[in-house]
Amino acid sequence: MTKPIVVAVTGAAGQIGYSLLFRLASGETFGDRPVFLKLLDLPIPEAQKKLEGTAMEVLDCGFRTLAGVECTADPNVAFDGASWALLVGSKPRGPGMARADLIRENGPIFVGQGNALQRGASDLRVLVVGNPCNTNCLIAASNCAGVPKERFGAMTRLDENRAIAQLAAKAGCTNADVARVTVFGNHSESMYPDFENATIGGKAVTEVIGDRDWLQGPFVQAVQNRGKAIIAARGLSSAASAASAAIDHVKDFERKTPTDAWFSAAVWSDGSYDSPLGIYTSLPVQSDGKGGYSVVQGLRLSDWAKGKVAATNKELLDERAVVADLLKG
Ligand code: NAD
Ligand code: LMR
């Protein structure tokens, strides 16, 4: 039997977990490769009971690709041997809050978990979903001595998917027609969804949609504020779409990206597009499908767009300063 891939999910008893685990186990994400799920939630009876219940449902799906499920309250157990660790467990924001308001409450979670991630497999890859995800990713990576910073990333794939859906609706085409959208910067209201390099049916978005005022105004704002709009409408933050984006992120890194395509992920800044070093910022990424990735170079941005990218990166530097006491190396 093929060796199972061990996938750890934190906050697995929560609402994102409930949409995520089934798609990790079903074969959708890792193909025929068997998956062993390690599920972490808080060491309190209520959370552990809910976790057991969710695990029971995963087992009851009878997925041929599921090699086993282990529930735990100990990050050292959860991350032991993991090739992927999806760090979801943390508090979501409520109405009227910014994601950055969570930083001092959620940030410390990623100190201990960062340390425990040293138990991961040699091919460990980490996706941070819990907000504010870019800065939580920085905290986890800086507390995980010995694991390269490039093995960590934070989730902006949801923002890319939202941007694609907005552009498709405006152009009256399908989501599949939209390509080459990049979300730059922070998963926050300062993020910049780049439409200047995006295409619809192979043509420039600026040509197909033509309405630059809409692109620079309502489009950018809709993507930036979508999380808040969902909280206002549902009373809860996005869950199924967030889980779906996490699956997209994992799949994007697992396979080689076609030469003419890319995807958005917050990765360890290499200075591309004038991003400051020492932060996790969203950039256009291509995976080599073997555990490595590169940042797509040469995208042309107008001065207006460069200003937006600079502003969202400045916000990440400010967030880093707020958690300076939680950062190690
Ligand atoms: P939720 O409250 O439904 O679930 C969170 C779960 O995490 C709970 O079961 C809780 O017990 C658990 N948890 C809390 N602290 C933990 C810890 N230290 N260790 C292990 N488990 C812990 O929340 P949710 O809706 O699933 O959202 C989770 C996080 O994801 C939030 O921070 C939310 O803002 C974020 N989020 C990010 C994106 C994104 O695009 N990056 C999208 C949606 C949600
Ligand atoms: C989202 O973008 O939906 C999540 O980050 C949840 C939130 O707080 O907006």
Side-chain angles (χ1 to χ4, degrees):
M1 186 179 145
T2 321
K3 192 167 170 259
I5 181 167
V6 177
V7 181
V9 179
T10 75
Q15 54 155 2
I16 294 177
Y18 196 71
S19 286
L20 180 63
L21 305 180
F22 305 88
R23 294 179 64 183
L24 290 169
S26 70
E28 176 190 347
T29 312
F30 297 104
D32 291 341
R33 189 155 179 207
V35 176
F36 191 99
L37 289 177
K38 293 198 159 191
L39 310 182
L40 177 79
D41 213 290
L42 287 171
I44 53 175
E46 193 194 327
Q48 287 299 308
K49 201 168 165 211
K50 208 168 156 199
L51 189 60
E52 289 293 344
T54 305
M56 285 158 71
E57 283 205 70
V58 174
L59 289 168
D60 289 352
C61 289
F63 295 124
R64 302 292 184 269
T65 40
L66 182 64
V69 184
E70 183 176 354
C71 296
T72 180
D74 181 350
N76 292 307
V77 173
F79 300 144
D80 193 31
S83 290
W84 270 100
L86 309 187
L87 308 190
V88 180
S90 52
K91 192 175 164 183
R93 67 172 162 160
M97 290 173 75
R99 297 182 186 93
D101 295 340
L102 298 165
I103 202 165
R104 289 302 315 182
E105 201 167 340
N106 282 345
I109 295 171
F110 297 86
V111 174
Q113 290 188 358
N115 206 303
L117 280 163
Q118 292 174 96
R119 293 174 167 265
S122 57
D123 63 349
L124 170 72
R125 198 170 269 294
V126 181
L127 167 63
V128 180
V129 175
N131 278 320
C133 61
N134 298 55
T135 298
N136 288 338
C137 183
L138 177 65
I139 297 169
S142 88
N143 282 280
C144 188
V147 177
K149 299 274 192 299
E150 289 77 14
R151 310 285 322 171
F152 287 74
M155 191 166 91
T156 52
R157 192 63 160 76
L158 176 57
D159 309 305
E160 180 188 320
N161 289 345
R162 289 167 170 168
I164 289 170
Q166 294 287 328
L167 292 171
K170 178 75 172 175
C173 64
T174 67
N175 293 336
D177 295 323
V178 185
R180 298 182 163 197
V181 176
T182 308
V183 170
F184 281 93
N186 198 3
H187 175 63
S188 76
E189 274 148 43
S190 73
M191 75 179 83
Y192 173 59
D194 171 44
F195 55 83
E196 294 177 344
N197 295 280
T199 58
I200 294 179
K203 290 190 186 148
V205 160
T206 45
E207 195 186 315
V208 177
I209 291 183
D211 180 352
R212 195 160 178 111
D213 287 345
W214 180 82
L215 289 166
Q216 287 195 187
F219 164 68
V220 169
Q221 286 152 20
V223 179
Q224 290 174 331
N225 293 312
R226 190 67 167 183
K228 190 200 272 180
I230 288 168
I231 292 168
R234 276 184 95 223
L236 286 170
S237 69
S238 64
S241 57
S244 196
I247 297 289
D248 288 340
H249 177 109
V250 173
K251 281 159 78 173
D252 281 341
F253 275 98
E254 283 286 314
R255 68 183 168 210
K256 182 171 165 32
T257 314
T259 340
D260 58 351
W262 60 80
F263 59 89
S264 308
V267 293
W268 184 233
S269 173
D270 62 352
S272 297
Y273 303 97
D274 293 330
S275 309
L277 299 177
I279 55 171
Y280 281 85
T281 187
S282 188
L283 287 162
V285 170
Q286 289 186 321
S287 165
D288 66 7
K290 295 185 226 152
Y293 70 85
S294 54
V295 175
V296 175
Q297 300 297 317
L299 301 189
R300 296 185 63 173
L301 297 173
S302 64
D303 288 346
W304 174 83
K306 283 182 188 161
K308 295 282 175 200
V309 173
T312 187
N313 281 324
K314 160 80 171 58
E315 186 182 61
L316 283 166
L317 291 175
D318 294 344
E319 282 187 16
R320 184 178 71 178
V322 172
V323 297
D325 59 313
L326 304 180
L327 302 177
K328 283 227 178 79

